[in-house]
Amino acid sequence: MTNFGGFAGEHLIQFIERIERLEEEKAGIAEDIKEVYAEAKSNGFDIKIMREVIKLRKLEAADRQEQETLIDLYMQALGTLGTDK
Amino acid sequence: MTNFGGFAGEHLIQFIERIERLEEEKAGIAEDIKEVYAEAKSNGFDIKIMREVIKLRKLEAADRQEQETLIDLYMQALGTLGTDK
Amino acid sequence: MTNFGGFAGEHLIQFIERIERLEEEKAGIAEDIKEVYAEAKSNGFDIKIMREVIKLRKLEAADRQEQETLIDLYMQALGTLGTDK
Amino acid sequence: MTNFGGFAGEHLIQFIERIERLEEEKAGIAEDIKEVYAEAKSNGFDIKIMREVIKLRKLEAADRQEQETLIDLYMQALGTLGTDK
DNA sequence: CTGCCATTTTACCGGC
DNA sequence: GCCGGTAAAATGGCAG
């Protein structure tokens, strides 16, 4: 990874710029989210409660996900045990 | 903001779901970024250093931005002087 | 916060040493945890599954906690609305 | 490791609960540490710098440790030479 | 402006 | 011994 002036350098620049573009997009979306909160607030909703609701829903989703992961692991374990391979 | 079952409730749900969709998008992009880093890494680049580079470039951009803001201010000031607006 | 040779310095040292002691304790407990995992493993249990179980239980606990927080927030909101204060 | 309802299951639960208790303790200590930092901060100290100091002291401790290990090795070697064990 | 929360970054640990 | 993923530390940003 020497020779940064040559091909590797080109390559690096490309990676960096891809990331920078993605980060811009991400920041843009974060902006959007803030705007939605602001709009909701101006419609009389409580931001704190909204955040809490969102957090809880996320947690519940994570819960389900983890349950499935766990089941998969059990199945693997049992499968391994079962096939006597 | 009482009457959560009625129109307000409807409205709230809509805000929440909009936010959740945006957060998903955001998470997706975060994923993409991780992937780009991973790809760069598998091409022999050092992630930590890349992060540093990106941070620096961002700072420089902010500096430039600030400069431009300043320039705008001056221009306005000059414009004001010039046009007597 | 100049004069670090004097009283402030004394004070700082005390904070630092308190933290260092606590971190040692924490590291000790982390050790203990590792040992329990090792012991479980040597009894034929699958560490990965154990971690998953623990994660899920933690998530569920967090869930309940968040639900309560949310309810509290609702009560506050309704209380505020209700008392016309 | 089948028979999760029987003795193995019992055993597993016990391991899990031991770990959960330890993790709680650990979390408690982490809390304590945060509090100490907060207290230090309210006394005018800079948390970021404190972290840096603690990190350095840890490194130095590790260095000393390594040195001692080395010294021990030498001592053993000398002992071996001396005693002809 | 301060505390708190989310995100990001670093470090660790088990698995291959 | 390395790699991948997971958990902890640390930093930054936002609401109050």
Side-chain angles (χ1 to χ4, degrees):
Chain A
M1 195 45 54
T2 41
N3 186 28
F4 275 91
F7 178 65
E10 274 299 298
H11 214 182
L12 176 60
I13 299 275
Q14 278 167 13
F15 281 126
I16 300 248
E17 288 182 348
R18 262 168 78 193
I19 290 169
E20 283 174 341
R21 252 173 288 126
L22 288 167
E23 299 237 319
E24 268 176 59
E25 277 184 59
K26 189 149 75 80
I29 293 177
E31 275 301 299
D32 293 347
I33 290 172
K34 280 182 65 176
E35 280 170 31
V36 178
Y37 274 118
E39 194 188 337
K41 183 175 185 178
S42 77
N43 277 273
F45 294 103
D46 184 326
I47 289 184
K48 206 166 172 183
I49 288 179
M50 288 178 67
R51 285 189 193 283
E52 201 61 34
V53 170
I54 288 168
K55 197 193 283 181
L56 183 55
R57 284 162 63 108
K58 207 170 170 182
L59 231 39
E60 283 166 0
D63 239 81
R64 279 190 296 275
Q65 165 103 23
E66 290 298 309
Q67 273 174 22
E68 281 178 30
T69 304
L70 190 52
I71 290 168
D72 286 352
L73 281 173
Y74 282 152
M75 306 242 311
Q76 275 179 244
L78 293 171
T80 304
L81 290 170
T83 59
D84 233 18
K85 184 166 51 177
Chain B
M1 268 292 291
T2 42
N3 187 25
F4 275 90
F7 178 66
E10 273 299 298
H11 213 183
L12 177 60
I13 296 279
Q14 276 167 13
F15 280 126
I16 299 236
E17 288 182 349
R18 264 169 76 193
I19 289 169
E20 283 175 340
R21 253 173 285 127
L22 288 167
E23 299 233 321
E24 266 177 59
E25 277 184 58
K26 189 150 76 83
I29 293 177
E31 275 300 297
D32 292 347
I33 291 172
K34 280 184 67 176
E35 279 171 33
V36 178
Y37 275 120
E39 195 188 336
K41 181 177 184 177
S42 76
N43 277 273
F45 294 103
D46 181 324
I47 290 183
K48 204 168 171 181
I49 290 178
M50 286 178 67
R51 288 187 199 283
E52 209 61 26
V53 170
I54 287 168
K55 196 188 286 181
L56 283 174
R57 281 164 63 106
K58 202 171 174 183
L59 277 181
E60 282 168 19
D63 280 355
R64 274 195 298 275
Q65 171 91 21
E66 212 175 313
Q67 270 203 349
E68 281 179 29
T69 304
L70 213 52
I71 289 170
D72 285 351
L73 275 174
Y74 283 170
M75 302 266 289
Q76 276 180 250
L78 292 172
T80 304
L81 288 173
T83 62
D84 234 14
K85 181 170 84 182
Chain C
M1 194 44 54
T2 42
N3 186 26
F4 276 89
F7 178 66
E10 273 299 299
H11 214 181
L12 176 60
I13 299 274
Q14 279 166 12
F15 281 126
I16 300 250
E17 288 182 348
R18 264 169 77 195
I19 290 169
E20 284 174 341
R21 250 172 290 127
L22 288 166
E23 300 236 320
E24 268 177 58
E25 277 184 60
K26 191 150 74 77
I29 293 176
E31 275 301 298
D32 293 346
I33 291 172
K34 279 183 64 177
E35 281 170 31
V36 178
Y37 274 119
E39 195 188 337
K41 183 175 186 177
S42 77
N43 277 273
F45 294 103
D46 183 326
I47 290 185
K48 205 166 171 184
I49 289 180
M50 288 178 68
R51 285 190 194 283
E52 200 60 36
V53 170
I54 287 168
K55 197 196 281 182
L56 183 55
R57 283 162 64 108
K58 206 169 171 182
L59 231 39
E60 283 166 359
D63 238 79
R64 278 191 296 274
Q65 164 103 23
E66 290 297 309
Q67 272 174 23
E68 281 178 30
T69 304
L70 189 53
I71 289 169
D72 286 351
L73 280 173
Y74 281 151
M75 305 243 312
Q76 276 179 244
L78 292 170
T80 305
L81 290 170
T83 59
D84 236 17
K85 184 166 47 180
Chain D
M1 266 294 291
T2 43
N3 187 26
F4 276 89
F7 179 66
E10 273 300 298
H11 213 183
L12 177 59
I13 295 281
Q14 277 167 14
F15 281 125
I16 299 235
E17 289 181 349
R18 262 169 79 194
I19 289 169
E20 283 175 340
R21 253 173 286 126
L22 288 166
E23 299 233 321
E24 267 177 59
E25 276 185 59
K26 190 149 76 81
I29 293 177
E31 275 301 296
D32 293 347
I33 291 173
K34 280 183 67 175
E35 280 170 33
V36 178
Y37 274 120
E39 194 188 337
K41 181 176 184 179
S42 76
N43 278 273
F45 294 102
D46 182 324
I47 290 183
K48 204 169 172 181
I49 290 178
M50 286 178 69
R51 287 188 199 283
E52 208 61 27
V53 169
I54 287 168
K55 195 189 287 180
L56 282 174
R57 281 164 64 107
K58 206 170 173 182
L59 277 181
E60 281 167 18
D63 279 357
R64 273 195 299 276
Q65 171 92 19
E66 213 176 315
Q67 272 203 351
E68 282 179 28
T69 304
L70 212 53
I71 289 170
D72 285 352
L73 274 174
Y74 284 168
M75 302 264 292
Q76 277 179 250
L78 292 171
T80 304
L81 288 172
T83 60
D84 232 15
K85 179 176 98 187

